[in-house]
Structure formats: structure tokens, C-alpha cells
Amino acid sequence: MATYKDIQEWVRSHCGFVPQTCWIGHCKEINKIPLIRTPPKKRVKPCPSKKQPCIERAFRHFRWM
């Protein structure tokens, strides 16, 4: 299973930016991918909508979706 670091590296090499881990978590929530964490929290830094498609491409590449 890929890690957040794997997702960050893939996005950096294919899209030219490094997503913050909170953006990856937000995209997982949006796409109903289970998160491993304690109680639900309000997103302090949600993923910018223009960055979501690239992160989702990384999810598909690593077969998270």
C-alpha cells in the first residue's frame, strides 16, 4: 500500500507541486477512502479545488480508488 510520501512524490514528479498531508486527507474524505485517525476534526486546511484532480490521479495510480 502506498504511503502519503509516495503520493507526495508522485504528485511532485507529475504535477509540479508537493501536496500537504492535510490535502491528501481531505481528498481521501471527499472520495470516501477510509482514513486512519482519531475523532473527526474540522479541516483547518482543506485541499484547494484546483489541486484535487492531480491528487486523485495519484490515488488512481496507486489503486486507492
Side-chain angles (χ1 to χ4, degrees):
M1 177 107 178
T3 64
Y4 277 34
K5 281 281 188 206
D6 296 328
I7 298 293
Q8 287 175 320
E9 273 301 308
W10 191 93
V11 170
R12 183 193 58 74
S13 66
H14 289 83
C15 300
F17 71 94
V18 177
Q20 296 179 17
T21 56
C22 55
W23 295 356
I24 296 171
H26 183 223
C27 287
K28 285 177 76 171
E29 285 179 344
I30 291 169
N31 290 288
K32 310 265 190 272
I33 300 169
L35 288 169
I36 300 171
R37 65 175 174 158
T38 47
K41 304 179 209 173
K42 183 177 187 246
R43 285 267 162 226
V44 176
K45 290 177 158 182
C47 184
S49 58
K50 67 180 182 178
K51 306 281 187 182
Q52 289 176 7
C54 191
I55 295 170
E56 290 169 354
R57 279 181 33 219
F59 288 173
R60 284 189 288 280
H61 173 80
F62 288 105
R63 296 190 175 107
W64 282 16
M65 302 181 28

